């Protein structure tokens, strides 16, 4: 096995409370109405829990459209005492349904900086981990499209690995999946699953989205779960996502 060849050997994770579980990937259509997005996400999470899911994953930037210049209007200060409607909903729904929830990502405003942040909640509703997107995506096709996250967002500084009721999970956001070193780090620390909320566009999605998932799973002999926003049928949208959320398992190597 590939894991047997790692030097140093993987750090063994604690025994999870749940060894076999159902995962739900909530690929929801995002609108400019934040309250509607929150209500829609809650419904999908509750539906998934009723169908037996113990781990639920939301997409990247699910509480607002992926319009870089408008992200600050929807941002929440996760660490502040002020009301954070998206975060409050995630905490409450995780607790009420007794699930582990990888809460996709939302724009986070902290100390005057804007981050793309994923929060992980346990069945007790408590925040277990917070991952800020490490690798910002700057993309340009001259004369066609330009998308520069670094003009609006601040990159995170630390990888995120979290022990949950369903096992040890590594967290990445979208463009983080393009960097094999991050997945290798998570594998070396004993993660059996990496969750990547992501919103690849129509160009990079068709070329790379599935390929990257399969590569990270095969290279590190672990599971990879991705969750994307649903593709907006409105062709006038500023950013159109590829969609195609997925779950990829490790390839058996003998």
């Amino acid at each position: 096995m590939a894991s047997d060849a790692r030097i140093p050997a993987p750090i063994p994770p604690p025994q999870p409370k749940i060894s076999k579980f159902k995962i739900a990937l909530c690929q929801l259509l995002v609108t400019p109405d934040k309250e509607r997005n929150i209500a829609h996400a809650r419904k999908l999470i509750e539906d998934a829990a009723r169908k037996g899911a113990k781990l639920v994953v939301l997409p990247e930037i699910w509480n607002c459209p992926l319009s870089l210049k408008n992200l600050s209007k929807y941002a929440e200060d996760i660490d502040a005492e002020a009301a954070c409607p998206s975060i409050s909903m995630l905490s409450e729904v995780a607790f009420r349904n007794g699930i582990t929830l990888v809460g996709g990502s939302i724009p986070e405003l902290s100390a005057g900086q804007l981050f793309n942040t994923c929060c992980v909640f346990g069945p007790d509703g408590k925040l277990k981990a917070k991952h800020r997107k490490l690798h910002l995506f700057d993309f340009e096709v001259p004369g066609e499209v330009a998308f520069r996250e670094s003009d609006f967002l601040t990159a995170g500084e630390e990888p995120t690995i979290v022990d949950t009721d369903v096992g040890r999970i590594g967290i990445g956001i979208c463009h983080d999946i393009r960097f094999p070193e991050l997945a290798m780090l998570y594998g070396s620390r004993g993660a059996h699953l990496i969750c990547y909320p992501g919103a690849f566009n129509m160009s990079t999605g068709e070329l790379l989205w599935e390929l990257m998932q399969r590569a990270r799973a095969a290279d590190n002999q672990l599971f990879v779960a991705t969750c994307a926003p649903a593709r907006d049928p409105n062709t006038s949208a500023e950013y159109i996502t590829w969609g195609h959320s997925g779950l990829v398992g490790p390839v058996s190597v003998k």
Side-chain angles (χ1 to χ4, degrees):
M1 294 290 290
S3 60
D4 297 333
R6 288 197 186 108
I7 300 176
I11 299 172
Q15 186 67 31
K17 293 182 179 179
I18 304 171
S19 59
K20 185 177 181 180
F21 61 92
K22 183 181 290 187
I23 181 173
L25 309 174
C26 297
Q27 182 170 291
L28 61 98
L29 182 64
V30 178
T31 75
D33 186 334
K34 183 175 179 179
E35 290 186 4
R36 179 180 176 185
N37 296 331
I38 293 173
H40 188 192
R42 176 193 287 272
K43 182 180 184 303
L44 291 181
I45 297 167
E46 291 173 341
D47 288 348
R50 277 194 293 270
K51 293 176 181 177
K54 288 299 182 182
L55 173 63
V56 179
V57 186
L58 291 183
E60 180 186 21
I61 306 295
W62 59 266
N63 72 346
C64 66
L66 189 45
S67 169
L68 292 176
K69 64 179 180 292
N70 291 320
L71 287 182
S72 59
K73 299 178 183 178
Y74 298 87
E76 299 181 13
D77 189 342
I78 296 171
D79 295 327
E81 296 295 330
C84 297
S86 304
I87 298 302
S88 296
M89 182 278 288
L90 296 177
S91 173
E92 179 186 347
V93 78
F95 173 70
R96 288 184 178 274
N97 292 276
I99 58 171
T100 297
L101 179 57
V102 177
S105 77
I106 67 167
E108 177 198 10
L109 186 63
S110 178
Q113 294 179 304
L114 194 62
F115 298 91
N116 185 345
T117 302
C118 174
C119 293
V120 181
F121 293 89
D124 57 1
K126 294 182 179 179
L127 180 65
K128 296 184 68 69
K130 184 172 74 170
H131 177 82
R132 289 170 169 168
K133 186 174 184 177
L134 297 169
H135 305 94
L136 301 182
F137 182 55
D138 291 346
F139 173 79
E140 183 173 358
V141 177
E144 294 185 25
V145 62
F147 188 83
R148 293 184 55 81
E149 290 186 336
S150 61
D151 288 345
F152 298 88
L153 295 166
T154 300
E157 297 181 348
E158 298 179 357
T160 304
I161 192 164
V162 54
D163 288 322
T164 74
D165 282 7
V166 297
R168 181 168 289 174
I169 300 174
I171 304 294
I173 298 175
C174 200
H175 197 43
D176 287 342
I177 200 173
R178 295 283 299 276
F179 295 83
E181 297 85 357
L182 181 62
M184 291 169 63
L185 175 64
Y186 289 154
S188 72
R189 292 185 179 178
H192 72 107
L193 167 68
I194 306 177
C195 292
Y196 292 101
F200 272 43
N201 63 38
M202 296 294 288
S203 299
T204 58
E206 184 174 14
L207 290 171
L208 297 171
W209 186 227
E210 182 178 338
L211 176 65
M212 291 293 99
Q213 296 174 58
R214 292 181 178 276
R216 299 294 85 82
D219 287 349
N220 299 285
Q221 290 297 284
L222 42 68
F223 288 87
V224 169
T226 62
C227 190
R231 189 181 304 170
D232 191 342
N234 177 12
T235 55
S236 65
E238 180 177 333
Y239 186 94
I240 301 176
T241 62
W242 175 242
H244 294 279
S245 303
L247 178 64
V248 179
V251 178
S252 178
V253 179
K254 295 182 180 180

